[in-house]
C-alpha cells in the first residue's frame, strides 16, 4: 500500500488535489527570497508627478506612433500613440493634461528614445473604453490589443499577439511563480485583486481557446495560494511549485505545470501552451470589465538600501526618482536595479521613466550585491549543475574567448534563457551569463547553426 | 552623457551566492583537519611536521614560481590544500626531503607549468604521490604501526597495511574484541599502518559530511567510487568479508573524498562524474588485485584524470527541450544508463553479500564435533603440519565449557613420538580472544616446540569459530 502510494507520487497526473508533482527542471539556484519586507505592505498609490515622460517603446516590436499634437489636451485613459503593426502596443495618457510634444529622453538601455511629454493639470478627467458586453474570442482579443496590454512580467510581448494562437493551445498557464528575490507585486495582486486576476485568466482562456488553465505559483506564497484556491473554479487549477529560481522562466514553468517540454527553438504554442503573467491577467480583466486601458502598473520598491519598501501603483511615464523619493531609496546605494536582482537591468539614472514592464525598483546595499574580482575558472562545474537548460556555461565561455562559435553552439549557447544562475553560483565570480549572451549575439549575427 | 555615469552599473545577476575560491579552499582545509588530527594521534608529532613541511613547500614554490614568471602572488589557499593532502599521503616516518621534493613536483611541474589553479591536467597530490612511489619506492612503502598517544613517536615498530601484509596487519585483539569485526573496527578507527591521514575512516567520513553540507564537493564521486569498488572487490576476491576490509584500508576513502573530487580534474556534469567514479573504482580494485603495487588509488585517480577532458568534450548533458534531427525529444541516454548502472551495482551488492555471507564456512582442521552429556562442546581437531622438516599429523580433542566459553580440557589424540609436542597447559582455561592474543608461543619444556604450539593455536581458533557459528556456542 505504502509502496503504491510512493509510486503514485511520481506519476504526472493532471487535475488532482494533493498529489506530489515531480516534473521539476533540474539545476537552478536558491537565492535568499528577501520578500518579507515588501510582501507585508498593501499596494499603495504613487502620487502623480507634474510631468510624465511616456515611453513609446517599452514592449517588444515596433515603437508606437504618436497620435497627438503638441499643445493638445488629453484626458486620462485617452490614446496618445498607436501601435505600429501587429507586434506593437497602444500607449495611453496616465493623467489629464497638456501634451508638450515628443521629446528625446533616456531609456533604460541608455539610448535617447522618443517619449511623449505630458504636463499634468491634476483635474483627473478621464475617458475609458466602453465595457465589453459581447464576449467572443475575437472581441476579447480586439479589446486586449486596443487597451495596449503587453506581457507585464518583464518581456513586454504584446498580449493580443501572444493569445492569438488560433486553437493551437489547450492549456493556459498563469505565471505566478515570481521566483526573483524581492519582487512581490504579483503576490500582492493575487491577494488583493484575486477575483479580478482570476477573471482575467478566464477571459484569456476564452481569447486563446484553451480548455483549462493552470496557475503555477511558488510555495513561498501561502496567502496567495489560499486566496486563489478560494476563487478558482473547476477549469483553473492552482499548482504550488517548488521554490527555486528560475521556476518562473517560461519553459521551466510549462514543464512544472503541464509536464511538457517546449522543443528547443520553438514557441510555447508549439507545445500547446500559452503563458501569461499575473499582472497581465489583471490588466485584461480591467480592460474588458471596466474599459480601463493599460497605463499603470504595480511596482515593488525594495532592497536593503530602501527605507520604506512597498508595492505601489505607478503610472507609466513617472520618473523613477519620484518613486525613489517616496520610498526613501538611497540613491548612493551600491546598485539600483530595475526588475529582479537575477535578471533585472541596472539603473544608471533615476531620470528613466517607469513603463508597462517595470516590475520592480531595487536599491541594493553593498552587502546584497556581488562585487567580487573576477578570478580564473577553477573548474568546479557548479555552473553546469546550476544551468536549468542543461548547458555547459564554463565551456561556452571558453569557446567564446577562443572565438570558436561552432564549439559554443555544440555546448548549447543558443538555448540560453539568460537566467544568470551560472554567474550566481560561480565561486570565481566569472561573468558567465554575459559571455553566453555575447556568444548568442555572435551566433545570431553569423548565422551559425548547431 | 553626464547623466549616464550617475550610478554604479554592472551586468546582471546582481546577487551572488557568496561563494569564493578562497572560502572553498578553506572549507577543504577544515575538512582535512580530522584526518590530520587522527594522523598526529596515531603517528606522533613527526607526522605533523611532515605535513607542515609539505604545506610550506607547496605554498613557497607557488609564490616563487609566480615571482619568476613576474605574476602576482596568489593567496587563494589552493596550494595549502595540495600541500596538506600530499602531506597526509606520506608515510609517517618519511625523511624530511620527501615532502619537499613531492611538494615542488606537485606545484611546479603538475600545477603551475600547466597554467596554475584550475588548469592542471591531473591532481597534483595524486601525481606527486605516484612520482614519489616510483622514485622512492622503499621509503614510500615502509609504514609504521599506529601507536595512539605516543606523540614523540619513540620506539615505533614497523607495521604493515592490510593491503601489503594481509591479516597480519591487524592486532589480534582490538578493544577487547577479536575476529572479523574487530579487524573492521580497527580499520575504521584507523589504528593500522598506512599513510598519515588515510588510515582513519572515521575522520575521512567527518570531512566528507562537512564538505557535502557546505556543498563544496559533489557527493556522487565518493559515493559511486566506493560503491563500484565494493562491487569490484566482490568480483575480484569472491568474498563478502573482503569488501569492508578493502574499502577501509589504504587510501581509498581518503582519495575518494579529497583527491578524486578535485575540481579541475574531475568532470563537470554530474553523470560524467558518475562515469568517472565508476572508472576509478574499477581501476583501483584491478590495480590492488592484479597489479604489482598494493595500493592503487593514486594511480587510478591519475589515469582517470587523463580521461576527464575527453568526457567533458564529448559527453554533454541533454539540453532542456533538445530534439533529435527528426524532431523527437532527445533521449537522455547517459543519465539513465548511469542511474541504471548505480542501481544495478547496489542491487547486486544487496543480493550477493548476504548470499556469500550465508555460505557454509569451510573448516580446515575441524573433523567432528558434538555436545557431551554434561553439555560441553567437544571438538575433534586435527591437521598436517610441517614440523621439524617433516609433514606430521596432529590431532586433539578439545572440550569447551559452554558457560564461560573457555577451554576446559585438551587431550591429544595423535601426537608424534619423535618430540615436538604442544604445551597444552598454555591453552587450557583460556577464551578465544585470549588465545588469539597470545604472541609468545615459545616452548618451555624440552619436548614441546613453538611450531606445534602455533599449529595448535590455529586449530583451536578454528575450533572456537566452529562452535560459535555452527553449534551456537557463546550466545
Amino acid at each position: 500500500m505504502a509502496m503504491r502510494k510512493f509510486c503514485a507520487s511520481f506519476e504526472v497526473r493532471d487535475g488532482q488535489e494533493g498529489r506530489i508533482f515531480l516534473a521539476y527542471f533540474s539545476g537552478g539556484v536558491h537565492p535568499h527570497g528577501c520578500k518579507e519586507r515588501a510582501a507585508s505592505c498593501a499596494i499603495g498609490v504613487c502620487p502623480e508627478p507634474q510631468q510624465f515622460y511616456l515611453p513609446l517603446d517599452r514592449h517588444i516590436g515596433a515603437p508606437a506612433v504618436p497620435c497627438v499634437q503638441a499643445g493638445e489636451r488629453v484626458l486620462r485613459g485617452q490614446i496618445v500613440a498607436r501601435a505600429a503593426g501587429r507586434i506593437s502596443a497602444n500607449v495611453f495618457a496616465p493623467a489629464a493634461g497638456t501634451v508638450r510634444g515628443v521629446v528625446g529622453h533616456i531609456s533604460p538601455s541608455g539610448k535617447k528614445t522618443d517619449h511623449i511629454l505630458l504636463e499634468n493639470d491634476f483635474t483627473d478627467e478621464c475617458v475609458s473604453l466602453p465595457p465589453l458586453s459581447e464576449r467572443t474570442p475575437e472581441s476579447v482579443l480586439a479589446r486586449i490589443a486596443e487597451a495596449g496590454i503587453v506581457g507585464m512580467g518583464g518581456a513586454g510581448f504584446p498580449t493580443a499577439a501572444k493569445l492569438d494562437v488560433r486553437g493551437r493551445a489547450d492549456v493556459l498557464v498563469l505565471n505566478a511563480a515570481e521566483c526573483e528575490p524581492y519582487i512581490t507585486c504579483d503576490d500582492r495582486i493575487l491577494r488583493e485583486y484575486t477575483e479580478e486576476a482570476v477573471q482575467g485568466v478566464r477571459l484569456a482562456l476564452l481569447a486563446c481557446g484553451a480548455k483549462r488553465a493552470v496557475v503555477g505559483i511558488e510555495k513561498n506564497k501561502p496567502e496567495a495560494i489560499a486566496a486563489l484556491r478560494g476563487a478558482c473554479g473547476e477549469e483553473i487549477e492552482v499548482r504550488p511549485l517548488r521554490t527555486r529560481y528560475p521556476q518562473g522562466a517560461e519553459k521551466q514553468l510549462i514543464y512544472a505545470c503541464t509536464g511538457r517540454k517546449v522543443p528547443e527553438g520553438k514557441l510555447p504554442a508549439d507545445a500547446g501552451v500559452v503563458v501569461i503573467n499575473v499582472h497581465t491577467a489583471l490588466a485584461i480583466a480591467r480592460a474588458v470589465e471596466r474599459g480601463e486601458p493599460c497605463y499603470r502598473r504595480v511596482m515593488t520598491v525594495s532592497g536593503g538600501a530602501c527605507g520604506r519598501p512597498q508595492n505601489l501603483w505607478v503610472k507609466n511615464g513617472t520618473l523613477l526618482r519620484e518613486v525613489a523619493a517616496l520610498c526613501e531609496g538611497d540613491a548612493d546605494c551600491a546598485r539600483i536595479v530595475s526588475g529582479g536582482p537575477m535578471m533585472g537591468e541596472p539603473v544608471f539614472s533615476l531620470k528613466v521613466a517607469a513603463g508597462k514592464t517595470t516590475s520592480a525598483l531595487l536599491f541594493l546595499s553593498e552587502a546584497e550585491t556581488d562585487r567580487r574580482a573576477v578570478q580564473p575558472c577553477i573548474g568546479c562545474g557548479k555552473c553546469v549543475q546550476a544551468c536549468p537548460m542543461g548547458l555547459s556555461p564554463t565551456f561556452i565561455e571558453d569557446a567564446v574567448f577562443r572565438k570558436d562559435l561552432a564549439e559554443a553552439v555544440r555546448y548549447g549557447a543558443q538555448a540560453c534563457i539568460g537566467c544568470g544562475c551560472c554567474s550566481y553560483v560561480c565561486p570565481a565570480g566569472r561573468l558567465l551569463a554575459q559571455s553566453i549572451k555575447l556568444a548568442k549575439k555572435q551566433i545570431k549575427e553569423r548565422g551559425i547553426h548547431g | 552623457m553626464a547623466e549616464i555615469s550617475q550610478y554604479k552599473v554592472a551586468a546582471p545577476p546582481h546577487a551572488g551566492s557568496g561563494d569564493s575560491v578562497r572560502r572553498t579552499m578553506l572549507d577543504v582545509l577544515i575538512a582535512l583537519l580530522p584526518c590530520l588530527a587522527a594522523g598526529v594521534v596515531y603517528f606522533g608529532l613527526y607526522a605533523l611536521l611532515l605535513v607542515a613541511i609539505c604545506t610550506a613547500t607547496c605554498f613557497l614554490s607557488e609564490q616563487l614560481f609566480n615571482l619568476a614568471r613576474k605574476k602576482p602572488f596568489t593567496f587563494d589557499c589552493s596550494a595549502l590544500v595540495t600541500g596538506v593532502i600530499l602531506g597526509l599521503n606520506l608515510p609517517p616516518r618519511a625523511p624530511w626531503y620527501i615532502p619537499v621534493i613531492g611538494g615542488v613536483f606537485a606545484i611546479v611541474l603538475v600545477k603551475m607549468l600547466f597554467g596554475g589553479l584550475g588548469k592542471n591536467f591531473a591532481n597534483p597530490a595524486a601525481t606527486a604521490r605516484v612520482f614519489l612511489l616510483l622514485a622512492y619506492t622503499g621509503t614510500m612503502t615502509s609504514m609504521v604501526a599506529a601507536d595512539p598517544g605516543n606523540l614523540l613517536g619513540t620506539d615505533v615498530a614497523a607495521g604493515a597495511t592490510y593491503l601489503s601484509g594481509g591479516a597480519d596487519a591487524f592486532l589480534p585483539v582490538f578493544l577487547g574484541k577479536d575476529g572479523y569485526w574487530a579487524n573492521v573496527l580497527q580499520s575504521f578507527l584507523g589504528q593500522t599502518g598506512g599513510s598519515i591521514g588515510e588510515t582513519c575512516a572515521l575522520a575521512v567520513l567527518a570531512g566528507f559530511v562537512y564538505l557535502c553540507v557546505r556543498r563544496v564537493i559533489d557527493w556522487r564521486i565518493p559515493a559511486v567510487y566506493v560503491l563500484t569498488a565494493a562491487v569490484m572487490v566482490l568480483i575480484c576476491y569472491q568474498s563478502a568479508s573482503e569488501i569492508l576490509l578493502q574499502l577501509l584500508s589504504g587510501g581509498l576513502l581518503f582519495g575518494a573524498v579529497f583527491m578524486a573530487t578535485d575540481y579541475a580534474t574531475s568532470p563537470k556534469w554530474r553523470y560524467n562524474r558518475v562515469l568517472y567514479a565508476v572508472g576509478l573504482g574499477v581501476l583501483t580494485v584491478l590495480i590492488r588485485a592484479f597489479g604489482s603495487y598494493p595500493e592503487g588509488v593514486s594511480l587510478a585517480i591519475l589515469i582517470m584524470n587523463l580521461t576527464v577532458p575527453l568526457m567533458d568534450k564529448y559527453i554533454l548533458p541533454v539540453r532542456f527541450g533538445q530534439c533529435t534531427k527528426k524532431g523527437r525529444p532527445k533521449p537522455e541516454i547517459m543519465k539513465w544508463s548511469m542511474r541504471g548502472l548505480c542501481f544495478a551495482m547496489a542491487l547486486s551488492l544487496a543480493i550477493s553479500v548476504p548470499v556469500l555471507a550465508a555460505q557454509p564456512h569451510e573448516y580446515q582442521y575441524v573433523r567432528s564435533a558434538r555436545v557431551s552429556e554434561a553439555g560441553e562442546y567437544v571438538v575433534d581437531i586435527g591437521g598436517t603440519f610441517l614440523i621439524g622438516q617433516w609433514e606430521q599429523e596432529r590431532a586433539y580433542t578439545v572440550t569447551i565449557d559452554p558457560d564461560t566459553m573457555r577451554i576446559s580440557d585438551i587431550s591429544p589424540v595423535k601426537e608424534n613420538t619423535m618430540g615436538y609436542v604442544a604445551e597444552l597447559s598454555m591453552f587450557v582455561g583460556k577464551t578465544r580472544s585470549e588465545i588469539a592474543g597470545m604472541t609468545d608461543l615459545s616452548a618451555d619444556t624440552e619436548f614441546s616446540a613453538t611450531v606445534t604450539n602455533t599449529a595448535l593455536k590455529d586449530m583451536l581458533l578454528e575450533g572456537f569459530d566452529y562452535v560459535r557459528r555452527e553449534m551456537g556456542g557463546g550466545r
Side-chain angles (χ1 to χ4, degrees), chain A residues 264 341 344 372 380 385 410, chain B residues 14 19 268 273 313 319 321:
Chain A
E264 209 168 74
R372 287 164 300 162
C380 65
Q385 318 303 330
R410 216 172 62 80
Chain B
H14 308 285
D19 239 0
K268 311 293 173 264
R273 288 179 174 168
K313 193 167 169 74
R319 299 193 292 272

